[in-house]
Amino acid sequence: MAPPHAQLPSLTPVICGPTAGGKSDLAVELALTLREKHGIPAEIVTADAFQVYTGLDIGTAKPTPAERRGVPHHLIDIVGSPVLRTGSEFTARPGSESRATQPFTLDDWLTLGNRTIADLRARGILPIVVGGTHLYIKALLDGLFDGPEPDHALRAELAAMDPSARRAELERVDPAAADRIHLNDIRRTVRALEVFRLSGKPISAHQTQWDREEGRGPCAVGRGAESAPFPLPTAHCPLPFLLTILDWQTEPLNSRINTRVKQMMANGLLEEVRSLVRSNGFTPQSAEALGYKQLMPIVRGAIEANIWPPPAAAIEEAVERIKIDTRRFAKNQRTWLRRLSITPGSIRLSAPPTPESPRESWVPRILAALKLPS
């Protein structure tokens, strides 16, 4: 091993890209290279809205111990199911009801993400942030946009609306949000309507203003971050980051998505859903995760009918729906990636690899941007 590096790079690597794009593998490879070639310990901070949940493993493509290759991962398995929640650091918030009745929010992740990154650096460890929840990445880079606080009574009212009327209202008041929010995504639809009703302005307008906010934070890349001492995070001074985007073409990515879904089923996704249903292991939020949402109705039906496995035709239909919905999700992710691509100093890696950007060049490009030899 190389001797310990005198100082950690000033920039924190952030790797993002579409689902099934190979982000986790790249992050682990980068962490191992930093450790083995530069003597820099590195650990991974996961930015994924569903990998936070205990028990949602196969369907969220949560890295297995073998895939982590000895690299510690943070912000995975931090929110337990209702029956497994005891002992989680999220069991309860001071002065609030049990975490079992609360969703895990963007603010939760951002608070924990900033805290984890600062803690790792304070201990001489380089954090590598990786994930496909691009709203988390955007908030980490730029802070939260200035939207209204949640109104739980209004949310309940919106959730109780007739689905077609709720969708029609979203299309009327915020067509841009309706274009990117799937018609079955109740949670995001409710939030978009909540923001409009409380602020009189569409959530898409809030997010557009967020993109235009001057300065992207005084500590952002391109604004003196490399020469400044590493700061603790504040609401107005995000940590300095080096963003790397895996830029996949549509057809190759769709093929990878189809293959991944098939492999998830082979790895036992159906049994995982069955176990979670039987143990009351889903929260309203985690039940919306791709793969689980499509399989849950046939699993519940089979359990109620006391038959197992469910009919093959029903499984096949659900699997095809998972593929379709995941491809649609990847298309929505590309919209986020276009927004993220304006980040100063960001790196775009062509995927699948090309002769001009071979796979073996990816880690050296990140190292060079961190001002480390490859």
Side-chain angles (χ1 to χ4, degrees):
M1 179 182 291
H5 198 69
Q7 186 175 0
L8 294 183
S10 62
L11 302 181
T12 293
V14 177
I15 298 173
C16 66
T19 186
K23 303 177 295 294
S24 295
D25 288 345
L26 178 59
V28 168
E29 183 182 346
L30 175 61
L32 292 174
T33 302
L34 285 163
R35 184 180 70 191
E36 294 166 3
K37 291 192 174 181
H38 299 283
I40 299 175
E43 299 182 6
I44 290 172
V45 179
T46 303
D48 188 287
F50 291 110
Q51 289 185 4
V52 298
Y53 290 99
T54 301
L56 273 68
D57 300 328
I58 299 171
T60 64
K62 192 177 294 177
T64 65
E67 290 167 340
R68 299 178 202 184
R69 299 168 64 185
V71 177
H73 283 55
H74 301 268
L75 305 192
I76 285 178
D77 293 330
I78 57 172
V79 184
S81 70
V83 294
L84 297 175
R85 194 175 305 276
T86 302
S88 165
E89 63 180 284
F90 291 98
T91 299
R93 290 173 177 167
S96 71
E97 68 266 33
S98 167
R99 187 71 198 174
T101 62
Q102 296 178 337
F104 183 84
T105 66
L106 166 61
D107 186 60
D108 288 329
W109 183 87
L110 187 60
T111 298
L112 288 165
N114 279 329
R115 183 190 304 165
T116 303
I117 291 167
D119 176 67
L120 289 173
R121 279 190 163 270
R123 294 190 286 119
I125 300 168
L126 184 66
I128 301 172
V129 181
V130 60
T133 301
H134 297 133
L135 178 60
Y136 287 6
I137 300 295
K138 178 71 172 171
L140 184 68
L141 296 175
D142 295 344
L144 294 172
F145 72 83
D146 187 20
E149 291 296 316
D151 183 320
H152 296 291
L154 177 57
R155 286 187 175 184
E157 175 190 337
L158 292 167
M161 286 179 66
D162 176 76
S164 59
R166 186 172 54 223
R167 181 68 182 185
E169 181 176 344
L170 179 65
E171 292 174 348
R172 177 175 57 83
V173 303
D174 195 348
D179 281 345
R180 72 170 187 276
I181 297 175
H182 190 267
L183 57 88
N184 293 329
D185 192 337
I186 298 172
R187 182 171 61 87
R188 288 184 174 84
T189 300
V190 166
R191 176 55 178 164
L193 291 176
E194 176 192 37
V195 168
F196 179 79
R197 290 197 186 185
L198 293 176
S199 70
K201 186 165 69 171
I203 194 171
S204 57
H206 282 278
Q207 292 167 337
T208 301
Q209 182 180 10
W210 185 20
D211 285 338
R212 294 197 306 264
E213 288 292 329
E214 183 176 346
R216 302 177 58 85
C219 299
V221 176
R223 295 188 175 265
E226 293 188 29
S227 59
F230 193 83
L232 289 174
T234 69
H236 304 291
C237 183
L239 301 173
F241 298 100
L242 170 68
L243 179 65
T244 298
I245 299 172
L246 285 173
D247 188 13
W248 275 90
Q249 299 173 22
T250 301
E251 289 307 315
L253 181 63
N254 285 346
S255 178
R256 285 174 64 95
I257 288 170
N258 293 340
T259 299
R260 171 183 273 190
V261 172
K262 182 178 179 180
Q263 188 61 52
M264 285 177 172
M265 293 301 295
N267 289 345
L269 178 57
L270 188 67
E271 289 292 340
E272 182 171 274
V273 175
R274 181 191 191 192
S275 175
L276 287 164
V277 168
R278 284 188 152 184
S279 66
N280 192 29
F282 286 108
T283 68
Q285 188 175 13
S286 66
E288 293 296 311
L290 283 168
Y292 302 93
K293 181 176 182 177
Q294 293 80 4
L295 288 171
M296 206 182 311
I298 66 169
V299 169
R300 289 191 188 280
I303 291 174
E304 290 169 2
N306 198 28
I307 59 171
W308 195 262
I315 296 174
E316 183 177 349
E317 182 179 351
V319 169
E320 287 307 308
R321 175 50 55 187
I322 295 170
K323 293 177 182 177
I324 291 168
D325 289 349
T326 305
R327 293 195 299 265
R328 182 181 291 118
F329 175 63
K331 181 179 178 181
N332 292 339
Q333 284 182 312
R334 285 193 286 273
T335 300
W336 272 105
L337 291 170
R338 284 195 295 272
R339 299 172 71 190
L340 288 167
S341 67
I342 66 173
T343 302
S346 60
I347 300 171
R348 294 176 70 93
L349 301 176
S350 296
T354 65
E356 295 76 25
S357 179
R359 178 67 175 77
E360 56 269 22
S361 73
W362 291 359
V363 167
R365 283 191 61 187
I366 298 172
L367 292 175
L370 293 174
K371 302 198 180 308
L372 295 170
S374 58

